[in-house]
Amino acid sequence: MNLLTILLQADAGGASPYSGLLMMVVIIAIFYFFMIRPQQKRQKDIQKAREALKVGDKVITAGGIYGKIKEIGDIYMQIEISDGIRIRVDKSSVFASTEDAKQQR
């Protein structure tokens, strides 16, 4: 028998008034370990990748614009998308360098 079957049978018998509370704790733990924790880890990895970017790296923005970093400020990056054409974007909108994108395929 699996854990869920055992917990449901314990609840059906009415043996313990705390079985409903136990079931809620189990559900919250499942949500934490299968949804919340992996998302937090992914966000940390993305933040590390952004901090590792430097001038000259090729990047992709959230809008799908490819370019090369020319300047990095506190909250922005200046990206050259063509010869002499530079745009300023928020750091949080830069998702990956093109080298990272190639490795994921």
Side-chain angles (χ1 to χ4, degrees):
M1 290 185 172
N2 62 19
L3 180 64
L4 186 59
T5 307
I6 293 170
L7 290 174
L8 288 174
Q9 287 177 353
D11 189 38
S16 172
Y18 299 111
S19 62
L21 181 62
L22 176 67
M23 192 64 124
M24 289 300 292
V25 170
V26 168
I27 290 171
I28 290 171
I30 289 171
F31 269 104
Y32 177 76
F33 285 109
F34 288 108
M35 295 179 73
I36 298 170
R37 192 165 176 241
Q39 180 65 26
Q40 288 174 341
K41 185 177 183 291
R42 197 173 310 125
Q43 288 293 341
K44 284 181 184 178
D45 291 342
I46 290 170
Q47 185 63 31
K48 281 182 187 178
R50 282 187 188 135
E51 290 172 359
L53 291 173
K54 58 191 179 303
V55 175
D57 286 349
K58 294 181 180 180
V59 294
I60 305 169
T61 66
I65 299 172
Y66 287 73
K68 191 177 204 179
I69 299 174
K70 290 297 180 181
E71 180 184 338
I72 299 177
D74 291 335
I75 59 171
Y76 71 92
M77 289 183 184
Q78 193 171 44
I79 299 174
E80 185 174 48
I81 57 176
S82 185
D83 292 333
I85 299 175
R86 295 181 180 187
I87 59 173
R88 183 184 254 180
V89 296
D90 192 47
K91 275 187 179 180
S92 62
S93 69
V94 176
F95 282 111
S97 67
T98 54
E99 288 80 21
D100 292 341
K102 288 178 185 176
Q103 289 175 358
Q104 290 177 357
R105 289 183 186 175

